[in-house]
Amino acid sequence: MNIDLLIKMANEIGDFFAGAQGNDAQAASRDVANHIKRYWEPRMRAQMLKYYEERQGAGLTDLAKNAVALLHAASQAPPATPGTAGASGAAGAPAKGAGT
């Protein structure tokens, strides 16, 4: 797909969520990122992420750029492995007093 169309779409999605969220730019950025993740075809997302890496999101509004930055950061994070999700404590561990 033409990157200019993807930029336009991302900016329009950002405009929509900016109006829906008032002044909370972080929530609006998360909403835009979630929308792109849920509804854009994987090749469209990949093309936008590649563009973001190459051009730092030139042409995107600040809101859309922040949303794509969130998606980019998530794509660079190592995948979660089973057993590490509850590393801070209780996931999968028996409750205190269980079995006594």
Side-chain angles (χ1 to χ4, degrees):
M1 181 172 251
N2 184 331
I3 192 63
D4 293 327
L5 291 175
L6 294 178
I7 292 167
K8 180 181 177 193
M9 288 170 51
N11 287 339
E12 289 175 349
I13 295 165
D15 290 344
F16 172 80
F17 283 109
Q21 295 297 327
N23 291 332
D24 190 356
Q26 285 184 322
S29 293
R30 284 191 306 269
D31 289 342
V32 173
N34 285 334
H35 179 90
I36 291 171
K37 184 177 178 183
R38 281 182 165 181
Y39 299 111
W40 282 26
E41 201 264 338
R43 289 177 292 183
M44 293 166 62
R45 286 193 310 269
Q47 187 177 354
M48 179 58 78
L49 292 175
K50 182 178 177 192
Y51 175 79
Y52 177 80
E53 289 174 356
E54 293 174 355
R55 303 280 312 276
Q56 295 71 48
L60 292 169
T61 63
D62 288 341
L63 182 65
K65 192 181 299 185
N66 290 339
V68 175
L70 290 172
L71 292 170
H72 183 262
S75 74
Q76 300 300 309
T81 57
T84 60
S88 63
K96 286 187 179 180
T100 55

